[in-house]
Amino acid sequence: MGDVIEDSTTTTPAAVAVVAAPPMQTQYNSPSLSRKPLLSIEPNPNNGGANNRRSGGSTPNTTTTTAMVTTTPTRSTPNFLTPNFLTPLGSPIRRAIQMTKLDPQDAWLPITESRNGNAYYAAFHTLSSGIGIQALVVPVAFTVLGWAWGTISLTIAFIWQLYTLGLLVKLHESTDTGMRYNRYLQLFSSTFGDRMTKIFALFPILYLSGGTCVALIIIGGGTMRTFYQIVCGEGCSGKPPLTIVEWYLVFTCAAVVLSQLPNLNSIAGVSLVGAVTAIGYCTILWVIAVKEGRIDGVSYDRVRPVSNVDWIFGVLNSFGIIAFGFRGHNLTLEIQATMPSSDKKPSYVPMWRGVQIAYLIVAMCLFPLCIGGYWAYGNKIPENGGMLTAIYTYHGRDTAQSILALTSLFIIINAVSSFQIYGMQMFDDMESKYTTRFNKPCPWWLRSIFRAMFGFGCFFVGVAIPFLGSFAGLIGGIALPVTFAYPCFLWNKIRKPKKHGAIWCLNFGLGVSGMVLSVLVIAAGVYVIIDTGIKVSFFKPQ
């Protein structure tokens, strides 16, 4: 069977009528099969009569999308009257064409504008979105959980999130209708409805994109200052040339310039660079820690406060830290949407292959980082900054300045690269508002304005609310079900495995556990805020 998606150059039927799809209320509730709007085909007059007689003799309206004839065409049917995108009669794609109206906006939006992705692109994007600066903080959880429970919790979380990621990959295309759900919100809305989506999924998913971009600006700008100080050396003993806000602005300008790449497939090279640099600085940090050996007075005794309440919330917070070490599930369906799909070659095959490659590399980075870091520093790993702060604190003078500068440079490049893939989801959402209202593609100059507005909006939030990181545990707990719970509930709702069977019970148990973990992490975040307080300082980043 020919690929439905890429079919745009062959001979078209003699009588066609271009039909604009009705405007969608929201972009995420419009399942789509193709990145190009399908043409409404005038039905074959020979077969149409038979169909009309079966339906009471009414004449079909040729100006609207019509259902395909379900009878097999006879040999006398001229070839030029046969639509060039027809598929086998029993295929899921044929049923989807019969049952749904396709959304032409997918050809205009950055996530689905190009569908020439492959397994390598999937691996690049998944690595870039799945591993980052948050991995450097995961060893902090070992200071509370210890060797045994720290390793067990990290292993369970890794297997758990990989399982839910596999569920999302398989749910991208419906086995009943062949519809492709190109966005996480789209899949959630189609399954549970718009109201449930707005209550439970909209904020967490958009926060995982927008909030991550704000954090990347803060991390990238701060690391730029550190890189400058390392390279400049003793010559920078005087007044620094730029303030921290100005460093944030420099980073934001670089990210905004790079964000002008048009669509998700066009940043595959950027994601590759981001993935390589993330692997680079993770490897450098754990190699330095192991090479320099254990620090003096290292202890592996678990940190336990005097109060039992503090200890319980500390354990919950450590579980949250490990859970936050895995990210990118909110972008899985968007990455898979960049791939072509057909009945013979569904998109989940190359996507899953790319995911397996990516998470094999993630495991090779994350486990040595946690185990090697805890072995070297024990319970003295700094809570603020994790492994990165530990390297500068304990080995800042022993390690070559060129290595420290290279590590900082890798972090900067990775932050700029990750900004692109997380920002793309927000760009897609902003442009969908325009295409929905005006029913035409977003012009290039307006697209550039949208992306600049988003980038500098994140910069403004990072400068105006520098204490936003104090709420990271609270807000992160709200977003945690996107990774650990929602995919399980979606699978049971859509695929309908045998109730109380093994798969149904597994998904239900994992989904409920994810929701409970989310509530506990939120409670721990609230307790930490109340117990330690928050130093409110608007427009005064440190």
Side-chain angles (χ1 to χ4, degrees), residues 324-355:
F324 300 153
F326 302 101
R327 65 180 191 181
H329 284 56
N330 61 309
L331 297 172
T332 299
L333 298 178
E334 283 81 349
I335 294 172
Q336 193 170 349
T338 64
M339 299 182 180
S341 184
S342 66
D343 212 21
K344 293 181 179 179
K345 297 180 180 180
S347 61
Y348 76 82
V349 175
M351 180 66 187
W352 182 238
R353 187 182 303 121
V355 166

PDB file of all heavy atoms in Angstrom, residues 324-355:
ATOM      1  N   PHE A 324      11.616  13.170  38.877  1.00  0.00           N
ATOM      2  CA  PHE A 324      11.843  14.334  38.020  1.00  0.00           C
ATOM      3  C   PHE A 324      13.067  14.150  37.121  1.00  0.00           C
ATOM      4  O   PHE A 324      13.268  14.917  36.179  1.00  0.00           O
ATOM      5  CB  PHE A 324      12.032  15.591  38.866  1.00  0.00           C
ATOM      6  CG  PHE A 324      10.851  15.918  39.732  1.00  0.00           C
ATOM      7  CD1 PHE A 324      11.006  16.626  40.907  1.00  0.00           C
ATOM      8  CD2 PHE A 324       9.575  15.493  39.385  1.00  0.00           C
ATOM      9  CE1 PHE A 324       9.918  16.911  41.715  1.00  0.00           C
ATOM     10  CE2 PHE A 324       8.481  15.771  40.184  1.00  0.00           C
ATOM     11  CZ  PHE A 324       8.656  16.484  41.358  1.00  0.00           C
ATOM     12  N   GLY A 325      13.891  13.144  37.444  1.00  0.00           N
ATOM     13  CA  GLY A 325      15.063  12.896  36.604  1.00  0.00           C
ATOM     14  C   GLY A 325      14.702  12.381  35.223  1.00  0.00           C
ATOM     15  O   GLY A 325      15.542  12.395  34.322  1.00  0.00           O
ATOM     16  N   PHE A 326      13.469  11.917  35.064  1.00  0.00           N
ATOM     17  CA  PHE A 326      13.016  11.409  33.767  1.00  0.00           C
ATOM     18  C   PHE A 326      11.976  12.372  33.213  1.00  0.00           C
ATOM     19  O   PHE A 326      10.953  12.631  33.827  1.00  0.00           O
ATOM     20  CB  PHE A 326      12.422  10.014  33.925  1.00  0.00           C
ATOM     21  CG  PHE A 326      13.377   9.022  34.518  1.00  0.00           C
ATOM     22  CD1 PHE A 326      13.292   8.677  35.863  1.00  0.00           C
ATOM     23  CD2 PHE A 326      14.377   8.453  33.754  1.00  0.00           C
ATOM     24  CE1 PHE A 326      14.172   7.768  36.424  1.00  0.00           C
ATOM     25  CE2 PHE A 326      15.265   7.548  34.298  1.00  0.00           C
ATOM     26  CZ  PHE A 326      15.162   7.207  35.646  1.00  0.00           C
ATOM     27  N   ARG A 327      12.225  12.887  32.051  1.00  0.00           N
ATOM     28  CA  ARG A 327      11.334  13.872  31.451  1.00  0.00           C
ATOM     29  C   ARG A 327      11.201  13.570  29.960  1.00  0.00           C
ATOM     30  O   ARG A 327      11.878  12.702  29.427  1.00  0.00           O
ATOM     31  CB  ARG A 327      11.887  15.293  31.647  1.00  0.00           C
ATOM     32  CG  ARG A 327      13.209  15.537  30.929  1.00  0.00           C
ATOM     33  CD  ARG A 327      13.747  16.940  31.138  1.00  0.00           C
ATOM     34  NE  ARG A 327      14.868  17.196  30.230  1.00  0.00           N
ATOM     35  CZ  ARG A 327      15.544  18.336  30.197  1.00  0.00           C
ATOM     36  NH1 ARG A 327      15.223  19.313  31.014  1.00  0.00           N
ATOM     37  NH2 ARG A 327      16.535  18.506  29.341  1.00  0.00           N
ATOM     38  N   GLY A 328      10.304  14.300  29.309  1.00  0.00           N
ATOM     39  CA  GLY A 328      10.164  14.182  27.864  1.00  0.00           C
ATOM     40  C   GLY A 328       8.930  13.441  27.400  1.00  0.00           C
ATOM     41  O   GLY A 328       8.658  13.392  26.202  1.00  0.00           O
ATOM     42  N   HIS A 329       8.146  12.835  28.332  1.00  0.00           N
ATOM     43  CA  HIS A 329       6.953  12.113  27.902  1.00  0.00           C
ATOM     44  C   HIS A 329       5.924  13.041  27.266  1.00  0.00           C
ATOM     45  O   HIS A 329       5.139  12.609  26.415  1.00  0.00           O
ATOM     46  CB  HIS A 329       6.323  11.383  29.086  1.00  0.00           C
ATOM     47  CG  HIS A 329       7.052  10.138  29.497  1.00  0.00           C
ATOM     48  ND1 HIS A 329       8.389  10.146  29.829  1.00  0.00           N
ATOM     49  CD2 HIS A 329       6.633   8.848  29.628  1.00  0.00           C
ATOM     50  CE1 HIS A 329       8.766   8.920  30.138  1.00  0.00           C
ATOM     51  NE2 HIS A 329       7.721   8.109  30.032  1.00  0.00           N
ATOM     52  N   ASN A 330       5.903  14.292  27.679  1.00  0.00           N
ATOM     53  CA  ASN A 330       4.954  15.240  27.080  1.00  0.00           C
ATOM     54  C   ASN A 330       5.271  15.545  25.629  1.00  0.00           C
ATOM     55  O   ASN A 330       4.462  16.157  24.935  1.00  0.00           O
ATOM     56  CB  ASN A 330       4.937  16.543  27.886  1.00  0.00           C
ATOM     57  CG  ASN A 330       6.291  17.231  27.915  1.00  0.00           C
ATOM     58  OD1 ASN A 330       7.303  16.600  28.235  1.00  0.00           O
ATOM     59  ND2 ASN A 330       6.324  18.514  27.603  1.00  0.00           N
ATOM     60  N   LEU A 331       6.436  15.112  25.139  1.00  0.00           N
ATOM     61  CA  LEU A 331       6.836  15.370  23.751  1.00  0.00           C
ATOM     62  C   LEU A 331       6.873  14.099  22.903  1.00  0.00           C
ATOM     63  O   LEU A 331       7.182  14.164  21.715  1.00  0.00           O
ATOM     64  CB  LEU A 331       8.226  16.027  23.722  1.00  0.00           C
ATOM     65  CG  LEU A 331       8.335  17.390  24.390  1.00  0.00           C
ATOM     66  CD1 LEU A 331       9.791  17.827  24.469  1.00  0.00           C
ATOM     67  CD2 LEU A 331       7.524  18.424  23.635  1.00  0.00           C
ATOM     68  N   THR A 332       6.544  12.955  23.498  1.00  0.00           N
ATOM     69  CA  THR A 332       6.691  11.686  22.777  1.00  0.00           C
ATOM     70  C   THR A 332       5.801  11.622  21.542  1.00  0.00           C
ATOM     71  O   THR A 332       6.264  11.280  20.438  1.00  0.00           O
ATOM     72  CB  THR A 332       6.355  10.514  23.715  1.00  0.00           C
ATOM     73  OG1 THR A 332       7.261  10.528  24.819  1.00  0.00           O
ATOM     74  CG2 THR A 332       6.468   9.194  22.978  1.00  0.00           C
ATOM     75  N   LEU A 333       4.527  11.932  21.696  1.00  0.00           N
ATOM     76  CA  LEU A 333       3.612  11.861  20.549  1.00  0.00           C
ATOM     77  C   LEU A 333       3.970  12.904  19.507  1.00  0.00           C
ATOM     78  O   LEU A 333       3.804  12.676  18.296  1.00  0.00           O
ATOM     79  CB  LEU A 333       2.174  12.061  21.024  1.00  0.00           C
ATOM     80  CG  LEU A 333       1.638  11.005  21.999  1.00  0.00           C
ATOM     81  CD1 LEU A 333       0.223  11.340  22.422  1.00  0.00           C
ATOM     82  CD2 LEU A 333       1.678   9.625  21.355  1.00  0.00           C
ATOM     83  N   GLU A 334       4.458  14.069  19.947  1.00  0.00           N
ATOM     84  CA  GLU A 334       4.866  15.098  18.994  1.00  0.00           C
ATOM     85  C   GLU A 334       6.052  14.637  18.168  1.00  0.00           C
ATOM     86  O   GLU A 334       6.123  14.892  16.954  1.00  0.00           O
ATOM     87  CB  GLU A 334       5.217  16.387  19.752  1.00  0.00           C
ATOM     88  CG  GLU A 334       4.023  17.179  20.235  1.00  0.00           C
ATOM     89  CD  GLU A 334       3.423  16.637  21.525  1.00  0.00           C
ATOM     90  OE1 GLU A 334       3.792  15.524  21.941  1.00  0.00           O
ATOM     91  OE2 GLU A 334       2.572  17.319  22.114  1.00  0.00           O
ATOM     92  N   ILE A 335       7.002  13.956  18.792  1.00  0.00           N
ATOM     93  CA  ILE A 335       8.157  13.434  18.053  1.00  0.00           C
ATOM     94  C   ILE A 335       7.704  12.375  17.057  1.00  0.00           C
ATOM     95  O   ILE A 335       8.144  12.359  15.895  1.00  0.00           O
ATOM     96  CB  ILE A 335       9.192  12.865  19.037  1.00  0.00           C
ATOM     97  CG1 ILE A 335       9.781  13.988  19.908  1.00  0.00           C
ATOM     98  CG2 ILE A 335      10.302  12.132  18.287  1.00  0.00           C
ATOM     99  CD1 ILE A 335      10.658  13.480  21.034  1.00  0.00           C
ATOM    100  N   GLN A 336       6.819  11.498  17.481  1.00  0.00           N
ATOM    101  CA  GLN A 336       6.339  10.442  16.584  1.00  0.00           C
ATOM    102  C   GLN A 336       5.512  11.005  15.439  1.00  0.00           C
ATOM    103  O   GLN A 336       5.442  10.399  14.360  1.00  0.00           O
ATOM    104  CB  GLN A 336       5.518   9.424  17.381  1.00  0.00           C
ATOM    105  CG  GLN A 336       5.233   8.128  16.636  1.00  0.00           C
ATOM    106  CD  GLN A 336       4.631   7.077  17.537  1.00  0.00           C
ATOM    107  OE1 GLN A 336       4.615   7.231  18.754  1.00  0.00           O
ATOM    108  NE2 GLN A 336       4.132   6.005  16.954  1.00  0.00           N
ATOM    109  N   ALA A 337       4.896  12.161  15.655  1.00  0.00           N
ATOM    110  CA  ALA A 337       4.092  12.776  14.592  1.00  0.00           C
ATOM    111  C   ALA A 337       4.927  13.225  13.409  1.00  0.00           C
ATOM    112  O   ALA A 337       4.381  13.483  12.327  1.00  0.00           O
ATOM    113  CB  ALA A 337       3.312  13.966  15.152  1.00  0.00           C
ATOM    114  N   THR A 338       6.243  13.339  13.579  1.00  0.00           N
ATOM    115  CA  THR A 338       7.102  13.762  12.469  1.00  0.00           C
ATOM    116  C   THR A 338       7.453  12.619  11.529  1.00  0.00           C
ATOM    117  O   THR A 338       8.189  12.830  10.562  1.00  0.00           O
ATOM    118  CB  THR A 338       8.408  14.378  13.015  1.00  0.00           C
ATOM    119  OG1 THR A 338       9.150  13.363  13.718  1.00  0.00           O
ATOM    120  CG2 THR A 338       8.120  15.527  13.955  1.00  0.00           C
ATOM    121  N   MET A 339       6.940  11.425  11.792  1.00  0.00           N
ATOM    122  CA  MET A 339       7.300  10.265  10.984  1.00  0.00           C
ATOM    123  C   MET A 339       6.172   9.887  10.032  1.00  0.00           C
ATOM    124  O   MET A 339       5.000  10.018  10.376  1.00  0.00           O
ATOM    125  CB  MET A 339       7.604   9.064  11.890  1.00  0.00           C
ATOM    126  CG  MET A 339       8.757   9.297  12.821  1.00  0.00           C
ATOM    127  SD  MET A 339       9.097   7.837  13.811  1.00  0.00           S
ATOM    128  CE  MET A 339      10.478   8.464  14.756  1.00  0.00           C
ATOM    129  N   PRO A 340       6.511   9.405   8.846  1.00  0.00           N
ATOM    130  CA  PRO A 340       5.469   8.880   7.957  1.00  0.00           C
ATOM    131  C   PRO A 340       4.916   7.583   8.512  1.00  0.00           C
ATOM    132  O   PRO A 340       5.570   6.878   9.282  1.00  0.00           O
ATOM    133  CB  PRO A 340       6.222   8.655   6.638  1.00  0.00           C
ATOM    134  CG  PRO A 340       7.643   8.427   7.049  1.00  0.00           C
ATOM    135  CD  PRO A 340       7.856   9.286   8.259  1.00  0.00           C
ATOM    136  N   SER A 341       3.702   7.269   8.133  1.00  0.00           N
ATOM    137  CA  SER A 341       3.094   6.037   8.610  1.00  0.00           C
ATOM    138  C   SER A 341       2.182   5.466   7.533  1.00  0.00           C
ATOM    139  O   SER A 341       1.505   6.206   6.818  1.00  0.00           O
ATOM    140  CB  SER A 341       2.283   6.307   9.891  1.00  0.00           C
ATOM    141  OG  SER A 341       1.769   5.112  10.418  1.00  0.00           O
ATOM    142  N   SER A 342       2.179   4.172   7.417  1.00  0.00           N
ATOM    143  CA  SER A 342       1.292   3.482   6.488  1.00  0.00           C
ATOM    144  C   SER A 342       0.846   2.184   7.138  1.00  0.00           C
ATOM    145  O   SER A 342       1.299   1.831   8.226  1.00  0.00           O
ATOM    146  CB  SER A 342       2.003   3.199   5.158  1.00  0.00           C
ATOM    147  OG  SER A 342       3.059   2.267   5.345  1.00  0.00           O
ATOM    148  N   ASP A 343      -0.038   1.476   6.459  1.00  0.00           N
ATOM    149  CA  ASP A 343      -0.545   0.225   7.009  1.00  0.00           C
ATOM    150  C   ASP A 343       0.565  -0.806   7.147  1.00  0.00           C
ATOM    151  O   ASP A 343       0.579  -1.596   8.087  1.00  0.00           O
ATOM    152  CB  ASP A 343      -1.655  -0.310   6.097  1.00  0.00           C
ATOM    153  CG  ASP A 343      -2.718  -1.071   6.872  1.00  0.00           C
ATOM    154  OD1 ASP A 343      -2.808  -0.842   8.095  1.00  0.00           O
ATOM    155  OD2 ASP A 343      -3.446  -1.872   6.264  1.00  0.00           O
ATOM    156  N   LYS A 344       1.501  -0.823   6.221  1.00  0.00           N
ATOM    157  CA  LYS A 344       2.586  -1.791   6.255  1.00  0.00           C
ATOM    158  C   LYS A 344       3.741  -1.334   7.128  1.00  0.00           C
ATOM    159  O   LYS A 344       4.447  -2.155   7.705  1.00  0.00           O
ATOM    160  CB  LYS A 344       3.105  -2.053   4.836  1.00  0.00           C
ATOM    161  CG  LYS A 344       2.091  -2.754   3.934  1.00  0.00           C
ATOM    162  CD  LYS A 344       2.689  -3.013   2.553  1.00  0.00           C
ATOM    163  CE  LYS A 344       1.697  -3.744   1.661  1.00  0.00           C
ATOM    164  NZ  LYS A 344       2.244  -3.978   0.306  1.00  0.00           N
ATOM    165  N   LYS A 345       3.937  -0.013   7.230  1.00  0.00           N
ATOM    166  CA  LYS A 345       5.045   0.531   8.013  1.00  0.00           C
ATOM    167  C   LYS A 345       4.507   1.564   9.002  1.00  0.00           C
ATOM    168  O   LYS A 345       4.636   2.765   8.774  1.00  0.00           O
ATOM    169  CB  LYS A 345       6.095   1.155   7.096  1.00  0.00           C
ATOM    170  CG  LYS A 345       6.757   0.152   6.164  1.00  0.00           C
ATOM    171  CD  LYS A 345       7.799   0.819   5.281  1.00  0.00           C
ATOM    172  CE  LYS A 345       8.472  -0.170   4.353  1.00  0.00           C
ATOM    173  NZ  LYS A 345       9.491   0.494   3.478  1.00  0.00           N
ATOM    174  N   PRO A 346       3.886   1.117  10.086  1.00  0.00           N
ATOM    175  CA  PRO A 346       3.364   2.077  11.068  1.00  0.00           C
ATOM    176  C   PRO A 346       4.493   2.840  11.752  1.00  0.00           C
ATOM    177  O   PRO A 346       5.618   2.352  11.873  1.00  0.00           O
ATOM    178  CB  PRO A 346       2.598   1.184  12.048  1.00  0.00           C
ATOM    179  CG  PRO A 346       3.193  -0.169  11.890  1.00  0.00           C
ATOM    180  CD  PRO A 346       3.613  -0.276  10.463  1.00  0.00           C
ATOM    181  N   SER A 347       4.168   4.026  12.215  1.00  0.00           N
ATOM    182  CA  SER A 347       5.203   4.909  12.755  1.00  0.00           C
ATOM    183  C   SER A 347       5.773   4.408  14.070  1.00  0.00           C
ATOM    184  O   SER A 347       6.881   4.811  14.452  1.00  0.00           O
ATOM    185  CB  SER A 347       4.626   6.316  12.949  1.00  0.00           C
ATOM    186  OG  SER A 347       3.551   6.294  13.874  1.00  0.00           O
ATOM    187  N   TYR A 348       5.045   3.541  14.779  1.00  0.00           N
ATOM    188  CA  TYR A 348       5.558   3.137  16.086  1.00  0.00           C
ATOM    189  C   TYR A 348       6.808   2.253  15.971  1.00  0.00           C
ATOM    190  O   TYR A 348       7.579   2.139  16.933  1.00  0.00           O
ATOM    191  CB  TYR A 348       4.470   2.413  16.897  1.00  0.00           C
ATOM    192  CG  TYR A 348       4.176   0.993  16.500  1.00  0.00           C
ATOM    193  CD1 TYR A 348       4.956  -0.072  16.936  1.00  0.00           C
ATOM    194  CD2 TYR A 348       3.087   0.700  15.679  1.00  0.00           C
ATOM    195  CE1 TYR A 348       4.673  -1.371  16.571  1.00  0.00           C
ATOM    196  CE2 TYR A 348       2.792  -0.597  15.312  1.00  0.00           C
ATOM    197  CZ  TYR A 348       3.593  -1.627  15.760  1.00  0.00           C
ATOM    198  OH  TYR A 348       3.311  -2.923  15.396  1.00  0.00           O
ATOM    199  N   VAL A 349       7.035   1.632  14.800  1.00  0.00           N
ATOM    200  CA  VAL A 349       8.202   0.756  14.641  1.00  0.00           C
ATOM    201  C   VAL A 349       9.498   1.563  14.704  1.00  0.00           C
ATOM    202  O   VAL A 349      10.364   1.294  15.559  1.00  0.00           O
ATOM    203  CB  VAL A 349       8.096  -0.052  13.340  1.00  0.00           C
ATOM    204  CG1 VAL A 349       9.371  -0.875  13.130  1.00  0.00           C
ATOM    205  CG2 VAL A 349       6.880  -0.972  13.381  1.00  0.00           C
ATOM    206  N   PRO A 350       9.702   2.583  13.845  1.00  0.00           N
ATOM    207  CA  PRO A 350      10.942   3.359  13.971  1.00  0.00           C
ATOM    208  C   PRO A 350      10.978   4.177  15.258  1.00  0.00           C
ATOM    209  O   PRO A 350      12.056   4.405  15.823  1.00  0.00           O
ATOM    210  CB  PRO A 350      10.928   4.261  12.731  1.00  0.00           C
ATOM    211  CG  PRO A 350       9.490   4.358  12.339  1.00  0.00           C
ATOM    212  CD  PRO A 350       8.891   3.041  12.692  1.00  0.00           C
ATOM    213  N   MET A 351       9.821   4.634  15.736  1.00  0.00           N
ATOM    214  CA  MET A 351       9.800   5.420  16.967  1.00  0.00           C
ATOM    215  C   MET A 351      10.281   4.590  18.145  1.00  0.00           C
ATOM    216  O   MET A 351      11.122   5.046  18.940  1.00  0.00           O
ATOM    217  CB  MET A 351       8.384   5.943  17.220  1.00  0.00           C
ATOM    218  CG  MET A 351       8.260   6.780  18.487  1.00  0.00           C
ATOM    219  SD  MET A 351       9.194   8.323  18.362  1.00  0.00           S
ATOM    220  CE  MET A 351       9.008   8.942  20.036  1.00  0.00           C
ATOM    221  N   TRP A 352       9.782   3.398  18.292  1.00  0.00           N
ATOM    222  CA  TRP A 352      10.185   2.561  19.410  1.00  0.00           C
ATOM    223  C   TRP A 352      11.652   2.162  19.303  1.00  0.00           C
ATOM    224  O   TRP A 352      12.354   2.063  20.325  1.00  0.00           O
ATOM    225  CB  TRP A 352       9.292   1.325  19.493  1.00  0.00           C
ATOM    226  CG  TRP A 352       9.593   0.426  20.647  1.00  0.00           C
ATOM    227  CD1 TRP A 352       9.926  -0.884  20.615  1.00  0.00           C
ATOM    228  CD2 TRP A 352       9.553   0.779  22.045  1.00  0.00           C
ATOM    229  NE1 TRP A 352      10.112  -1.376  21.884  1.00  0.00           N
ATOM    230  CE2 TRP A 352       9.888  -0.376  22.786  1.00  0.00           C
ATOM    231  CE3 TRP A 352       9.282   1.958  22.731  1.00  0.00           C
ATOM    232  CZ2 TRP A 352       9.958  -0.385  24.175  1.00  0.00           C
ATOM    233  CZ3 TRP A 352       9.346   1.950  24.130  1.00  0.00           C
ATOM    234  CH2 TRP A 352       9.681   0.791  24.826  1.00  0.00           C
ATOM    235  N   ARG A 353      12.122   1.968  18.085  1.00  0.00           N
ATOM    236  CA  ARG A 353      13.535   1.664  17.905  1.00  0.00           C
ATOM    237  C   ARG A 353      14.398   2.845  18.365  1.00  0.00           C
ATOM    238  O   ARG A 353      15.409   2.666  19.062  1.00  0.00           O
ATOM    239  CB  ARG A 353      13.819   1.342  16.435  1.00  0.00           C
ATOM    240  CG  ARG A 353      15.235   0.839  16.175  1.00  0.00           C
ATOM    241  CD  ARG A 353      15.482   0.575  14.700  1.00  0.00           C
ATOM    242  NE  ARG A 353      14.523  -0.389  14.170  1.00  0.00           N
ATOM    243  CZ  ARG A 353      13.698  -0.146  13.171  1.00  0.00           C
ATOM    244  NH1 ARG A 353      13.718   1.040  12.579  1.00  0.00           N
ATOM    245  NH2 ARG A 353      12.867  -1.064  12.748  1.00  0.00           N
ATOM    246  N   GLY A 354      13.985   4.053  17.992  1.00  0.00           N
ATOM    247  CA  GLY A 354      14.725   5.237  18.433  1.00  0.00           C
ATOM    248  C   GLY A 354      14.667   5.432  19.935  1.00  0.00           C
ATOM    249  O   GLY A 354      15.660   5.821  20.563  1.00  0.00           O
ATOM    250  N   VAL A 355      13.503   5.152  20.534  1.00  0.00           N
ATOM    251  CA  VAL A 355      13.356   5.290  21.989  1.00  0.00           C
ATOM    252  C   VAL A 355      14.265   4.301  22.716  1.00  0.00           C
ATOM    253  O   VAL A 355      14.907   4.645  23.725  1.00  0.00           O
ATOM    254  CB  VAL A 355      11.881   5.074  22.388  1.00  0.00           C
ATOM    255  CG1 VAL A 355      11.754   4.865  23.889  1.00  0.00           C
ATOM    256  CG2 VAL A 355      11.047   6.277  21.960  1.00  0.00           C
TER     257      VAL A 355
END
